[in-house]
Structure formats: structure tokens, C-alpha cells
Amino acid sequence: MSINITINLIGAKQLKDRNEVFMGTKLLEAGLKRGALYLKTQSAIYPPKPPQSTYNRKGAAGGLASGWQIDGEVKDLTVILRNNIPYAQWVQGEKQVWFHKRTGWRNVPTILEDNKERVAELVLDTLRRR
């Protein structure tokens, strides 16, 4: 399961008209990585453990939270946040099993929808810091 974050520079012409120049793509790449790091922290949040559960969660010590990784390079204005834990797709992916949804696990589409504005703010804030 992977999450792709892409930025469509809809306002690129207006930015040029205002003489705002990106320092190559390095600043934009830094903003994308900043947004991905934020999504990584949001994706690693566990819901409260159900009272009847006897399962011991591993969290960042080898559990689902430890699987969230950001690919090192930004390619074509895309950064990839990925979780390679084998069961991640059933807990947080688009193939989420009903009982994980019922116990409060947010799936990837929900995480993206809930955080898209904040990610955009982080990218734009990085661009303004030049």
C-alpha cells in the first residue's frame, strides 16, 4: 500500500507574474517531504484499544506504525509515503476489513481527506520561506 502526494501547480502562471521564482525544484521538494512527514505522523496514530481486546500492539516497535516510510526521492513532483507491513492494507488500506473500521482505524483515503488542507499549507509555507 502506498500513498502518493502530488501537487498540481494550478497557480504557476500567477506565481511567475508576481516574480516569485522557485529555487529550482529543491524548495518544492522540501515542501512535499514536509507534507509527507506530517501524513506519516497522522497515519501512525492508533485508535484506542478496544476494552475486550487481548492483542498487544507493537506500535513503533515493529507494528503497523513502524511500517510508514517516506521514499527518499521526490520524482515528478510526487513523494511517496508507503507502508510495507503485510497486513497494512487490511487495517488502513482501501481493502480495510470492516472490524478495523468499526474499531476506529482510519483508512488512507480518510487520512488524506482529513489532512489535505494542512499538507497544502505546509508545502506553501515551505515555498514562502525562500
Side-chain angles (χ1 to χ4, degrees):
M1 170 180 73
S2 16
I3 300 171
N4 296 328
I5 304 167
T6 58
I7 291 202
N8 183 345
L9 293 177
I10 292 172
K13 184 181 181 321
Q14 290 85 352
L15 289 172
K16 281 186 180 177
D17 291 346
R18 292 189 347 223
N19 293 323
E20 289 179 327
V21 180
F22 300 133
M23 299 166 60
T25 58
K26 296 296 180 196
L27 206 53
L28 184 53
E29 289 175 358
L32 287 168
K33 285 186 178 182
R34 191 173 170 205
L37 182 59
Y38 178 78
L39 281 175
K40 178 181 175 181
T41 61
Q42 293 301 303
S43 300
I45 296 172
Y46 281 40
K49 186 176 176 179
Q52 71 279 13
S53 176
T54 59
Y55 180 76
N56 287 328
R57 296 176 172 179
K58 295 178 186 173
L64 188 61
S66 69
W68 289 106
Q69 302 298 321
I70 298 170
D71 281 5
E73 292 183 37
V74 176
K75 295 180 183 174
D76 298 324
L77 301 183
T78 302
V79 63
I80 297 174
L81 177 61
R82 177 184 321 270
N83 192 322
N84 289 328
I85 300 287
Y87 56 85
Q89 63 182 325
W90 311 114
V91 180
Q92 288 186 288
E94 291 183 12
K95 297 178 180 180
Q96 185 182 47
V97 180
W98 66 270
F99 57 84
H100 289 306
K101 183 174 185 165
R102 186 183 72 190
T103 56
W105 284 95
R106 295 181 305 152
N107 64 15
V108 171
T110 301
I111 294 167
L112 290 175
E113 183 61 31
D114 290 350
N115 294 287
K116 67 182 178 185
E117 290 179 20
R118 179 65 181 140
V119 170
E121 288 172 9
L122 290 169
V123 173
L124 290 173
D125 179 62
T126 303
L127 291 173
R128 289 183 190 116
R129 291 181 180 201
R130 62 173 180 94

